[in-house]
Amino acid sequence: MSLQEFIKKLNLVDPKKVQIIYDEKRNALKILVDGVKYYNIVPRKPFPFSRPYFIIFADKEGAEVCAVKDYRELDKDSREALEKMLSRIYFIPLIKKIKKIVYRAGEYVWLVETDRGEREFVARGRKSIQYFPGGRIIIFDKYDNVYELRLDKLDKKSMEYLALIL
Amino acid sequence: MEGDSESSIEIKLREGEEVLFRFESDLTSDGRFGKEVLVLTDRRAIVFDPDRGKERSCWYDEIREVRFYDYLGCSEIEVVLRDRVVSLIRFSRSKAALFRKAAKLLEELSVCRLGVERNGKRVEVEEEEERVEVRKVLPKLVSLLKPYWYLCAVAFLTALGIVAVNLTPPYLMRLLIDEALEAGNIVLLMKLTLLLIGVYVSNTVLSIVNSYTLNYLGERVVFDLRRRLYDHVQKLSLSFIDKYGSGRIISRISDDTFRIRWFLTWGIQSLVISVLQLIGIGIIIFNMNTYLALFSLLPVPAVFIGLRAYRKKAWVYYHRAWRKWADVSEKLVDTIPGAIVVKAFSQEERETKVFVDRLKEVVSANLNVVKLNLRTFPVMGLITSISAVLVWYFGGLKVIAGEITLGTLTAFVSYMWQFYGPINTLSYLMEPLQTALTSGERVFELLDIDPEVKEDEKAADFEFKGAIKFENVYFGYEPCVYVLQDINLEIKPGEVVGIVGPSGSGKTTLTKLLLRFYDPDKGRILIDGVDIRKIKLSSLRRQIGIVLQDPVLFSGTVAENIAYGKPEAEPEEIVAAAKAAHAHDFIMRLPAAYDTNVGERGSRLSGGERQRIAIARAIITDPKILILDEATSSVDTITEKEIQAALNNLIKNRTTIVIAHRLSTVMNADKIVVVDKGRIVEVGKHDELLKQNGLYKRLWDAQFAEEREAVKAKIRLR
């Protein structure tokens, strides 16, 4: 089978033909694709960092229904519903300021200010840091919590702390 | 070669017989070190013992086969004649590479009856030199600096400036004592003070400029060299990496280039500066007072010889200390991760005893280093101090007698102390210089190697349909040792072909030839009727997908690994490829799904997971030809089923070559090719081959019996 046939199986749909409603009762999404209704749908990001707008819709058992390549093209209401659900599933605080990084016994203790509040976490060395195009950096802490960082949005002091690690 | 040495003159040639090649061995046929000469003429091979004047020969038309054997410490070429087998010549392993060429030539001349081109030129067969040739390496190393000649000029001029500036303070000191202090000349005192400040300031500035220039130069040169090396290695054939070993290549790109940087910057500069300093100080002190200068030179030979002797010993002592410490680490690396074995066999006490013994050796080796240092440096210090005291004494006598001034004596002693610096540097420089030259030689050796697989200038780039044909293909990694012989095989587009056979029968080599990692020695391979040597390498490899038994993943995300052969792939292509490879579900369960880092060489994934990512990587380029090399043999049965399902997805409408150890994997193939000892012995469908009652049937029965035993064993365990 050629790759094209597998891509067809993915059921990549035009975001403009998708309608999404947040279903409070089921804590899931209701989606309407080309006139067909699906209940109990959970959005999943196969590329949460590198292509965060690519979404696969699956039911709670994991059966995949369809996918959209860029959810920013959805209509406003659908997009808001989707983002509401996504924010429950993907918790990736954006680091705004690094207040301190201390090296302690083979680990780095970060004290940071994020868009979700202040946080202290412990991460291992360089291997816990992933780089993505456009100066985006993803940091995994000891427990696999994830923090995002944008090099172009950091102040000088934070950059100095960061240089201790990178 | 012919007639150019005494030994070949004595060989009795027939009329019109022409000597083509000549090889010298280092062992005699009775197993002693000595010399025998193998001469290949246009008609026969002659082995000649120049010391005893004996010779024996084989006519080419008698030779049926040429064999090359590597033994322990020696090797041998054997020829099979019509009625007997003869040991042609023996040689030590240091001559093995040369005689492999000889064996290849002999085979071509005799068994293959290939004529050697007679355009007046003979093919030169040269032994590979392993000695470092300083004269050749040094100019090449220096030529690396050429593009940065202006930086070199800055570095040299600033170095010269530093030497000059450092020579002035003692002179100014003399003026200070003799002319300013004694004469009470305050104006001169102020001038000298300012001048001295100026000297130290310019010394600082020059040092900064010099040091930065040298470091910058070093970084540039080593950057160029590493880039050239890496680029070159990427272009070299796989056979080269097999031959050299990846460890050696890595060390050449990292360690050897580092040593070269040291040599080109600090090495050359230290050498030049030290020599200039010695000359400068020498001239000054002899001009000031020859009598005192001779005194101050007294300890120089002792210091130089002493330091050289120290370095030699220190090398031995420090290396011993490192080795002893390495022994300790080795024990740790063995026994801490292997603690389960130690405990299971209750060997804790023995292991502790071994460890303590090794620790004791570390202590004694370290103390030896301390003792050596104490024997050398205080004594050296004493010698130089005594000579300084003597200069003070005899110089003092001269000051009292009014022959020289106090300022001259003070300046003299300062110069004298400066003298020992360059001596120390020179005594230390010799060894790293030698090491750097060796490194240079290794790096240039690597750069001089040509890729064996070359791309034809007119190579074509076209879309494959997927027909493959092996035509009378012969191939060996070593000359005369064919891994594949007389391979004739035709595969139609879209066909699934299984290749089976005992391990070492040449199955994988077949696919390596198809991908042109190597070129066949004889015969040719065609894709859609075009010789693969006439197809662009990039086109060929892009349209052939391969999944290996032990897939190599690179550090990076899952998505990057899948899209390795197609970096511009769209996200849906990546997901589709992973789905086709039955990898999507486990990938979505990873913490960051497709953006999860797989770790070094894929270490964070299991064998089966790595395998499925490798399948996705092969499928994303939508190759027309797919090679599955034991793709399921390293995983458990459940995973194998999963992978098998993935593979079944892929092989539809693609020419697929499946190399398998488990015959059940290929029983549904359109065609099964049975390979044994480098030859195709059977071809057919599963049922046909079983009926033939040949090797396939035997392999099938053996595996079936094994599985039955395994099932029985399981039942018994229950």
Side-chain angles (χ1 to χ4, degrees), chain B residues 436-453:
Chain B
L437 286 177
T438 318
S439 287
E441 208 255 348
R442 281 195 222 142
V443 165
F444 289 117
E445 181 196 52
L446 187 58
L447 281 173
D448 287 344
I449 296 169
D450 268 339
E452 277 172 31
V453 172

Side-chain angles (χ1 to χ4, degrees), chain A residues 1 46 49-50 64 69 130, chain B residues 570 579 584 594-595 654:
Chain A
M1 230 186 291
F49 312 126
S50 58
E64 293 176 2
K69 207 167 162 179
Q130 256 174 275
Chain B
E570 292 293 322
K579 285 197 157 197
H584 177 71
Y594 285 81
D595 282 338
R654 273 180 233 280

Side-chain angles (χ1 to χ4, degrees), chain A residues 110 126 129 131 137 139 149 151 159 161-166:
Chain A
W110 297 57
R126 282 151 42 100
I129 296 171
Y131 301 85
I137 292 179
I139 302 146
L149 207 156
L151 285 181
M159 288 297 279
Y161 277 119
L162 201 60
L164 294 175
I165 292 189
L166 300 186

Side-chain angles (χ1 to χ4, degrees), chain A residues 44-52 54 89-92 128-130 132 136 138-141 143-147, chain B residues 556-560 562 574-575 584-598 604-605:
Chain A
R44 300 161 82 191
K45 292 183 181 182
F47 309 92
F49 312 126
S50 58
R51 285 128 171 156
F54 190 104
I89 302 174
Y90 295 96
F91 183 75
I92 307 171
S128 55
I129 296 171
Q130 256 174 275
F132 289 93
R136 290 176 62 222
I138 299 292
I139 302 146
F140 287 82
D141 77 1
Y143 305 99
D144 269 350
N145 291 313
V146 186
Y147 304 86
Chain B
T557 66
V558 172
E560 283 162 359
I562 292 178
I574 296 173
V575 175
H584 177 71
D585 290 340
F586 88 78
I587 293 172
M588 288 304 285
R589 283 195 296 270
L590 294 173
Y594 285 81
D595 282 338
T596 309
N597 201 320
V598 298
R604 279 179 218 159
L605 304 173

Side-chain angles (χ1 to χ4, degrees), chain A residues 67-96:
Chain A
V68 293
K69 207 167 162 179
D70 190 339
Y71 77 70
R72 287 172 296 184
E73 291 169 24
L74 290 166
D75 66 75
K76 192 169 160 276
D77 292 344
S78 297
R79 185 178 165 172
E80 274 170 18
L82 175 63
E83 280 177 344
K84 189 171 174 190
M85 191 70 201
L86 283 174
S87 70
R88 305 176 60 109
I89 302 174
Y90 295 96
F91 183 75
I92 307 171
L94 180 70
I95 295 175
K96 294 189 150 171

Side-chain angles (χ1 to χ4, degrees), chain B residues 311-329 357-372 375:
Chain B
R311 306 264 180 232
K312 270 189 195 155
K313 275 197 179 165
W315 192 88
V316 175
Y317 281 39
Y318 274 102
H319 274 253
R320 187 181 299 146
W322 288 330
R323 279 199 307 275
K324 294 297 170 201
W325 180 246
D327 289 344
V328 170
S329 318
D357 286 347
R358 291 189 182 184
L359 270 186
K360 281 180 189 161
E361 289 191 27
V362 169
V363 171
S364 107
N366 282 341
L367 285 180
N368 278 336
V369 169
V370 172
K371 281 182 207 157
L372 174 71
R375 270 205 306 273

